[in-house]
Amino acid sequence: MPIKLFHGLSAFPLTPVTADGQINKDRLAQMLERLVAAGVDSIGLLGSTGTYAYLSADERAQVLAAAVEAINGQVPLVVGVGAIRTDWAQQFARDAEKAGADGLLLAPVSYAPLTANEVALHFEAVAGATALPLCVYNNPGTTHFTFTQELLARISALKNVAAVKMPAPADVDFAGEIGRLQSLCAPDFAVGYSGDWYAAPALLAGAKTWYSVVAGLLPVPALRMTRAAQAGDKEAVAAWERAFAPLWALFRQYSSLRVMYAIAEELGLPAGLPPAPLKPIPSTAREAVAQALEGLV
């Protein structure tokens, strides 16, 4: 199993749309080509930043086909396959494998609250639908389901399950959490984190992966901070943290997804409007976004 797929910097791009709400394949290709050129370790397509939960099956298929063509095997591609029904998620997984994806990302999307056993069986079914390695997506902020360490240990033993994408621990003790998960989960189970403003401490504590929102549009500074952390260069990491701090503040205030649409505009890569009912950040905040980018672009 290609465990290294879930190591390093994984960049999550937006899913751009045209003025009439159609998938903007040309703009998506442009965004992806920038990620390939920067040398990110993987690309996370159809994650939360890619608004997978708002897209129809046909729209997901369009995004997947356009991405595979644009990336052309130059960078590993991890595709989000979360869906409210297990059979839908299985089909998305098979579609991703057939299209040429290298790995899968699965969140336990739900309407009715899920039990731990239901989630375990869901992951078993989806992981068994293809031969692709799968990353568990633990995102309680959107799914309202929190994985216990015991459940992660159970799921990590499943065939093809290779990694987990974690939120920051409540006590921000990354080293402690990573150590506990490594002791409980299958060997080589790769523990990584999302939540961009926690990337530096997570990587310095031994996280294998930064699943990054901001890298979807700013891959170069994100990659430089990642490499500094991997090298244990705390001084360089601290400098990058200071450079990113104004952007992290905006992410916290407005949500990283909404701010990413504003960043795309500032970079001359407009992605259209967020899917309704989401709204763009207030126009009064756009100057703050421009200022936050000054030390990064």
Side-chain angles (χ1 to χ4, degrees), residues 1-295:
M1 187 183 297
I3 299 296
K4 292 295 183 181
L5 172 64
F6 300 110
H7 283 217
L9 178 67
S10 189
F12 282 72
L14 294 165
T15 297
V17 296
T18 61
D20 60 354
Q22 302 301 305
I23 302 298
N24 190 333
K25 300 176 186 178
D26 291 339
R27 180 54 45 75
L28 176 63
Q30 188 179 8
M31 291 180 175
L32 295 172
E33 287 161 4
R34 293 175 76 250
L35 302 183
V36 171
V40 300
D41 296 302
S42 67
I43 293 173
L45 191 74
L46 295 172
S48 296
T49 307
T51 60
Y52 77 97
Y54 298 87
L55 302 179
S56 68
D58 179 67
E59 288 170 329
R60 290 195 194 194
Q62 291 180 51
V63 172
L64 177 58
V68 169
E69 181 179 359
I71 296 168
N72 194 28
Q74 298 172 88
V75 172
L77 177 64
V78 178
V79 178
V81 295
I84 199 168
R85 279 175 42 168
T86 299
D87 56 343
W88 292 351
Q90 287 176 306
Q91 188 59 54
F92 288 138
R94 287 189 285 265
D95 291 345
E97 182 178 44
K98 184 177 180 180
D102 300 287
L104 306 174
L105 178 67
L106 178 63
V109 182
S110 65
Y111 177 80
L114 298 174
T115 68
N117 190 55
E118 288 169 338
V119 169
L121 294 174
H122 178 66
F123 274 80
E124 181 178 6
V126 178
T130 78
L132 294 180
L134 181 147
C135 179
V136 178
Y137 190 1
N138 182 6
N139 188 1
T142 60
T143 65
H144 308 294
F145 182 87
T146 301
F147 287 83
T148 64
Q149 294 180 354
E150 292 73 21
L151 179 58
L152 284 173
R154 175 181 172 182
I155 292 174
S156 76
L158 295 173
K159 179 183 177 181
N160 297 333
V161 175
V164 62
K165 178 178 185 283
M166 294 286 289
D171 60 1
V172 202
D173 179 11
F174 290 97
E177 181 171 79
I178 292 169
R180 289 188 294 273
L181 287 173
Q182 288 177 336
S183 68
L184 290 169
C185 294
D188 296 322
F189 186 65
V191 180
Y193 286 87
S194 55
D196 280 10
W197 49 90
Y198 288 115
L203 289 168
L204 288 172
K208 299 299 184 184
T209 320
W210 175 15
Y211 297 95
S212 174
V213 174
V214 78
L217 286 173
L218 298 173
V220 173
L223 191 60
R224 289 178 178 172
M225 187 171 82
T226 301
R227 295 292 184 256
Q230 289 174 323
D233 188 344
K234 294 181 179 180
E235 184 176 342
V237 171
W240 280 113
E241 274 286 84
R242 290 191 294 272
F244 273 115
L247 200 55
W248 297 162
L250 290 167
F251 276 18
R252 284 188 174 101
Q253 183 174 1
Y254 296 108
S255 85
S256 57
L257 176 58
R258 292 182 179 90
V259 175
M260 282 288 281
Y261 280 90
I263 294 173
E265 291 279 349
E266 293 294 330
L267 296 179
L269 299 167
L273 294 173
L278 298 180
K279 296 296 183 185
I281 64 171
S283 57
T284 52
R286 288 295 298 273
E287 180 59 30
V289 173
Q291 292 175 357
L293 293 177
E294 288 179 0

